[in-house]
Amino acid sequence: MNFRHTMRQQLDKAVLFSLNRRVPDSLESSAAEAPTLEDVLAKTEVDRRQTAVYQLTAPGEHPVTLQTSMGEIHCRVKTRPAVDPNAPLLLFHHGFNEYPYTNSWQRLFPQAVPLPFHTVCIQAPFHHNWLEPVQKGFVSVQSVYQIFAGSLRLMELVQQQFEAEGATYTAAAGVSWGGITSMMYEGVMQQTQAVIPMLASPNLAQVIWDISDLFNRPMQLTQAELRQHLDFTTYYQQCAPNRVFPLLGESDLFFRMENHAELFAERPLVTIPAGHISAMWHTAPMRDHVLSVLHQLAAS
């Protein structure tokens, strides 16, 4: 193991330590009474009376209000339209606990660089500050589902608006948690031309299990029980193999190669020599990956 590999993993370990100690015990104890993700999604709707839907295709940041079984939730989307209204749309989703939610999006697609596609960054529920995702989003299995369900409704809304105004097609991309969300979006909605999950796999349960093992934290749930609630592989399996373009980090301690690469056996997996955190600082390989996929779509 070389020095760079070790340093990348040490960075990941430091961030994981902080996340691990802040996860409420109620997450595991809530599993037995959790509704299904489908139930949460069915009860999550965009409040069109409080949301200026017609403005979502305009440049800038736009608030979106959701009505859910957990109450009213306020989110945002940030839009960067292309010059051509008929350009394709790239829906981008941030990582968990990413603050501001546009951080990786802005690193991947700097404002000064013109893009041949519309791009919209989606803000997940419970991401208004750096404390909220864990304190509110991980308080129960239901709240975890609510994060995903809210994002799916926002992505659906934005796609509908852009395609109604001429966008030729839509691709979904995301890093970490956003990568899971992009796969779930296609698995549920099945209306994108490509899914580009980076530093992610659909098996969130494995991530939580590995973090617990890394810090020797006892789990209330067995690994099988955890998978029952937080492994979203079934949604990923609904995605057509030729539409998924995954990327993993070779030193990633969040989504470990040895535990997640096999899920993408039928997909053209790309790997980069990076850890989870270090990849966020040096985004050029991820940007190249996204642009390569979009170029393939444009040429087909």
Side-chain angles (χ1 to χ4, degrees):
M1 184 178 295
N2 62 41
F3 177 75
R4 289 185 178 180
H5 178 85
T6 302
M7 288 304 298
R8 293 170 191 143
Q9 292 200 324
Q10 287 301 316
L11 284 171
D12 283 2
K13 192 171 182 180
V15 175
L16 286 171
F17 177 78
S18 175
L19 285 173
N20 177 68
R21 64 193 295 267
R22 290 190 289 125
V23 173
D25 292 338
S26 57
L27 175 68
E28 294 176 63
S29 61
S30 70
E33 299 178 355
T36 65
L37 176 63
E38 288 77 9
D39 288 341
V40 176
L41 182 61
K43 295 176 182 177
T44 301
E45 297 181 348
V46 174
D47 188 335
R48 292 176 179 264
R49 294 172 300 176
Q50 298 189 63
T51 302
V53 173
Y54 65 93
Q55 290 186 349
L56 296 179
T57 56
E61 189 172 58
H62 311 288
V64 179
T65 300
L66 298 172
Q67 297 298 336
T68 79
S69 58
M70 297 184 70
E72 190 170 275
I73 296 177
H74 300 278
C75 300
R76 298 184 180 92
V77 301
K78 192 159 187 179
T79 300
R80 185 177 168 192
V83 174
D84 180 4
N86 299 124
L89 167 66
L90 176 69
L91 292 170
F92 183 85
H93 199 290
H94 60 81
F96 184 77
N97 212 33
E98 186 174 331
Y99 183 78
Y101 72 96
T102 54
N103 185 37
S104 57
W105 179 66
Q106 291 174 329
R107 288 174 179 267
L108 282 163
F109 310 112
Q111 185 67 38
V113 179
L115 300 173
F117 49 86
H118 309 290
T119 179
V120 178
C121 187
I122 305 295
Q123 182 193 40
F126 314 133
H127 275 77
H128 289 289
N129 57 58
W130 74 276
L131 290 172
E132 201 176 42
V134 176
Q135 289 183 345
K136 291 186 178 181
F138 259 51
V139 73
S140 68
V141 171
Q142 180 177 353
S143 63
V144 172
Y145 292 167
Q146 188 61 73
I147 299 177
F148 286 120
S151 293
L152 297 190
R153 288 301 184 214
L154 264 65
M155 294 168 79
E156 179 185 38
L157 176 68
V158 171
Q159 180 173 1
Q160 289 172 348
Q161 290 304 116
F162 269 90
E163 292 189 354
E165 295 189 16
T168 50
Y169 58 83
T170 298
V175 293
S176 192
W177 185 278
I180 303 175
T181 307
S182 66
M183 288 181 278
M184 291 175 68
Y185 181 67
E186 172 58 16
V188 172
M189 307 297 182
Q190 298 191 346
Q191 55 190 20
T192 70
Q193 293 300 305
V195 182
I196 313 170
M198 297 178 287
L199 309 175
S201 95
N203 192 350
L204 179 61
Q206 184 66 51
V207 175
I208 295 173
W209 188 265
D210 286 343
I211 295 171
S212 175
D213 181 65
L214 181 64
F215 298 107
N216 197 30
R217 176 171 62 86
M219 296 284 290
Q220 298 177 40
L221 301 176
T222 66
Q223 191 169 16
E225 290 170 333
L226 199 60
R227 284 177 174 166
Q228 178 184 348
H229 297 286
L230 295 173
D231 181 0
F232 304 108
T233 301
T234 53
Y235 297 99
Y236 156 73
Q237 290 172 336
Q238 301 305 309
C239 304
N242 63 346
R243 293 191 176 185
V244 182
F245 300 85
L247 177 147
L248 291 177
E250 295 163 8
S251 305
D252 194 336
L253 281 185
F254 289 66
F255 293 84
R256 295 170 177 260
M257 284 278 294
E258 63 269 25
N259 292 337
H260 296 276
E262 188 176 349
L263 283 168
F264 299 119
E266 298 180 3
R267 277 68 173 179
L269 176 63
V270 171
T271 66
I272 58 174
H276 203 80
I277 303 304
S278 64
M280 301 295 190
W281 292 349
H282 305 285
T283 55
M286 291 194 290
R287 181 187 308 113
D288 291 345
H289 180 61
V290 173
L291 295 178
S292 173
V293 173
L294 293 177
H295 178 74
Q296 292 178 51
L297 292 178
S300 61

